Amino acid sequence: MFTRSRAQGALDSSEEGDEEWDRLTTHQLTVHADRFPALARAVTEGAFIPTDDAPLAFGLACVLDGIHGLVERADCA
């Protein structure tokens, strides 16, 4: 679902829309940083900035990293 949403977003994106998305998500993260300190720190450190011109590949890598973490935790339990 995330990948499909991301793909649709890439098709529908515009510079103005991207700037609005960045503004809104930055605002929300700033307002709620105390609730999500690890996320706020990761964003501040640039953890979610794509390093290449393939945003779908970047998003997929993030999803797969999350699944990998879940599997590792399940193996430890």
Side-chain angles (χ1 to χ4, degrees), residues 13-30:
S13 72
S14 67
E15 188 171 330
E16 182 179 303
D18 291 346
E19 288 173 3
E20 180 68 2
W21 172 258
D22 290 345
R23 185 187 69 73
L24 290 171
T25 54
T26 299
H27 172 75
Q28 288 300 314
L29 187 58
T30 301

Side-chain angles (χ1 to χ4, degrees), residues 1-2 12 16 30-31 37-38 40 43 45-47 49 53 56-57 74 76:
M1 182 175 211
F2 173 79
D12 295 338
E16 182 179 303
T30 301
V31 169
V43 169
E45 293 174 1
I49 296 173
D53 292 330
L56 289 176
C76 293

Side-chain angles (χ1 to χ4, degrees), residues 30-52:
T30 301
V31 169
H32 300 288
D34 59 323
R35 293 177 56 203
F36 306 103
L39 177 60
R41 187 173 49 255
V43 169
T44 300
E45 293 174 1
F48 301 105
I49 296 173
T51 56
D52 57 22

Side-chain angles (χ1 to χ4, degrees), residues 1-9 21 55-56 58-63:
M1 182 175 211
F2 173 79
T3 303
R4 182 170 186 257
S5 296
R6 189 73 175 142
Q8 187 64 44
W21 172 258
L56 289 176
F58 174 76
L60 180 59
C62 289
V63 169

